Amino acid sequence: MQTLLSFVGFTAFVAFYSWYKLRKDPLSSRDGYFLGGRSLTGIVIAGSMLLTNISTEHLIGLNGSSYKNGFIIIAWEVTSALALIVAALYFIPTYLKMGLTTIPQYLEARFDSTTRTLVAFFLMISFVVTLLPIVLFTGAINLESIFNVSEVLNVTQTEGLWITVVAIGLIGSCYAIFGGLKAVAYSDTINGIGLFLGGLLVPILALWDIGNGNVLTGLSKVYENSPEKFNVIGAPDSVLPFSALFTGLVINQLYFWGMNQTIVQRALGAKNLVEAQKGLLYTGALKIFVPVIIVLPGVIGFYYFGDSLYENQDMIYPELIKKVLPLSLVGFFAAVVMGAVLSTFNSVLNSAATIFSVGIYKRLIDKDASDRKLVRAGKISSSILAIVAIMAAPLVAGAPEGLYQLLQQLNGIFFIPIASIMIAGLFIPRISAAGAKTALFVGLAFYIATTFIFPIDIHFVHIWGIEFVLNIIVMFIVSRFYPNTERFEPADFGGLELKQWKYAKPFSAILTIIIIGIYIWLGQ
């Protein structure tokens, strides 16, 4: 009963807070619904970006991976800060100057309308076949484990997972469909605070228990039990080789934090450039500390359970929660987990609605659509995507290298081709629309062939790097025969103050030094 009460209490508080903050906001306009009225501050942006990124695919997936592989997988997190620096200093000023609502809008201005439409369709597909099902399923695993849904309802575990997936999907859809971006951002901020507090409690209480009342002693015992798991330098045949940091991983991170609609949409809703840069760089600082929540518990789990869960690594985090948290806090943490799931789920739905309404409906179906019609189209598309994602969620069970690794492999299908043409568009003026469109399909075909149809014995992150280079070469070759006839200059829509944050570069330098220090300190 304590567990259920604390769960319901925190979940209800987040819902009430979001409603209270939005009760007077106009949500029928395009900017009001899709961009929060372009009024978001740095702290709200950072909180929303972080929780949009960190969901149960991290809590479950990365802790499961660290349980099995150790600290080498922190590269997914700490290198994010470097990408956020690039996004804050180089990408977001261009986006805000142009007054973008979606990233595909940039592609139309830089290349042509067909490129924009293709990328919009790619993104919609990637949302529904990769991210949304995995987020729902990992959330269901955690909540089923905490509340024993299958036992309470007297059904099989598979049926319990299905029921939990549907419940999460329906609740998350309500936030995104009826509240728009601002509802998502405000709920994310509160859930983000809960995630950090609840997430920190898990390793702290575990280390307190292991160290008999002394957290540092507990950490020392965990280290002595398996010092090799604290090494951040991945071997060439490991789940994430160190060399991957300098090939495909850097491209993936630049895409995710600087070009991914779901993430960047928060910064696009900033009240000015200063707040957007603060939001991105604050997120970078938080990402450096995130491994304490989504990597360290997995290694602690190895101390407690040994290799007994190696065949089912995605259960390590739920088992650790049940072992170390008192009943009164289990419900609160379940609510935090629920918030993390809802955050990513409703954020992706909101981004999908934005891309569909502005990039597809407005351009291909009803060119004269009013803001009210666009908002309605967004709500309908969100509903359809939510239903498809709920139905697809159980299909991702049983990933051999864990759910987080599966998510990254699937993301590569669309992320790297889109990143290639975005980077080329931003930094290589001679690349033409024909080159960009050709590279999209060449990259897509190359990755699917080498990863899923005729798999080659190269780590998939290295394949990302090879694919990126291939795409750039293709773009240069095609652009030679079909050249770019006009030099692109981003237009200024004049709606925001574009003065840079005066501490942006010093803050960026400090983040970079800290990241290098982490690899020097934990490299073995």
Side-chain angles (χ1 to χ4, degrees), residues 298-321:
V299 177
I300 293 172
F302 183 77
Y303 177 90
Y304 277 122
F305 305 110
D307 59 6
S308 62
L309 292 172
Y310 263 26
E311 298 304 314
N312 198 9
Q313 66 189 57
D314 290 318
M315 286 305 297
I316 193 69
Y317 195 63
E319 291 300 318
L320 188 63
I321 289 172

Side-chain angles (χ1 to χ4, degrees), residues 235 249 361 390 413:
L249 187 60
Y361 186 84
I390 289 169
I413 297 173

Side-chain angles (χ1 to χ4, degrees), residues 164-188:
T164 311
V165 162
V166 172
I168 295 170
L170 291 176
I171 296 171
S173 301
C174 290
Y175 271 101
I177 294 168
F178 298 111
L181 179 64
K182 211 165 186 179
V184 173
Y186 277 124
S187 63
D188 285 355

Side-chain angles (χ1 to χ4, degrees), residues 204 207-208 210-224:
I204 288 173
L207 294 174
W208 179 273
I210 293 168
N212 297 315
N214 189 310
V215 172
L216 292 179
T217 301
L219 183 60
S220 177
K221 285 184 177 181
V222 172
Y223 177 80
E224 290 167 4

Side-chain angles (χ1 to χ4, degrees), residues 54-283:
I54 298 177
S55 189
T56 43
E57 80 274 12
H58 288 76
L59 292 172
I60 297 285
L62 271 181
N63 275 309
S65 186
S66 67
Y67 160 71
K68 198 169 183 178
N69 306 293
F71 265 61
I72 59 174
I73 47 89
I74 70 165
W76 290 114
E77 297 305 305
V78 297
T79 59
S80 298
L82 297 176
L84 282 156
I85 291 169
V86 176
L89 298 182
Y90 299 104
F91 293 174
I92 202 64
T94 299
Y95 298 161
L96 294 185
K97 181 180 180 180
M98 295 175 66
L100 300 183
T101 302
T102 70
I103 296 302
Q105 276 180 287
Y106 171 82
L107 294 172
E108 180 173 22
R110 172 61 179 85
F111 296 116
D112 60 17
S113 59
T114 306
T115 307
R116 172 181 176 173
T117 302
L118 285 171
V119 169
F121 275 116
F122 281 3
L123 288 174
M124 296 287 287
I125 294 168
S126 74
F127 290 154
V128 78
V129 302
T130 59
L131 184 56
L132 288 176
I134 290 177
V135 167
L136 284 177
F137 189 72
T138 51
I141 288 175
N142 219 332
L143 294 175
E144 152 69 22
S145 175
I146 291 171
F147 290 115
N148 294 316
V149 174
S150 53
E151 289 183 20
V152 171
L153 299 179
N154 195 28
V155 295
T156 65
Q157 189 175 53
T158 301
E159 290 170 335
L161 285 172
W162 260 104
I163 292 167
T164 311
V165 162
V166 172
I168 295 170
L170 291 176
I171 296 171
S173 301
C174 290
Y175 271 101
I177 294 168
F178 298 111
L181 179 64
K182 211 165 186 179
V184 173
Y186 277 124
S187 63
D188 285 355
T189 303
I190 300 301
N191 279 319
I193 294 170
L195 178 68
F196 254 80
L197 293 177
L200 285 172
L201 274 176
V202 174
I204 288 173
L205 290 177
L207 294 174
W208 179 273
D209 173 57
I210 293 168
N212 297 315
N214 189 310
V215 172
L216 292 179
T217 301
L219 183 60
S220 177
K221 285 184 177 181
V222 172
Y223 177 80
E224 290 167 4
N225 179 65
S226 51
E228 72 284 354
K229 289 195 180 292
F230 285 81
N231 180 20
V232 296
I233 308 298
D237 60 347
S238 68
V239 71
L240 188 61
F242 181 66
S243 57
L245 274 66
F246 307 98
T247 58
L249 187 60
V250 65
I251 307 301
N252 179 75
Q253 299 289 47
L254 283 174
Y255 171 81
F256 190 85
W257 295 103
M259 310 168 204
N260 180 358
Q261 179 71 28
T262 304
I263 296 295
V264 177
Q265 190 165 335
R266 279 106 193 89
L268 297 180
K271 64 194 301 184
N272 53 44
L273 178 57
V274 168
E275 295 301 324
Q277 289 183 321
K278 283 182 182 178
L280 289 164
L281 293 173
Y282 290 167
T283 306

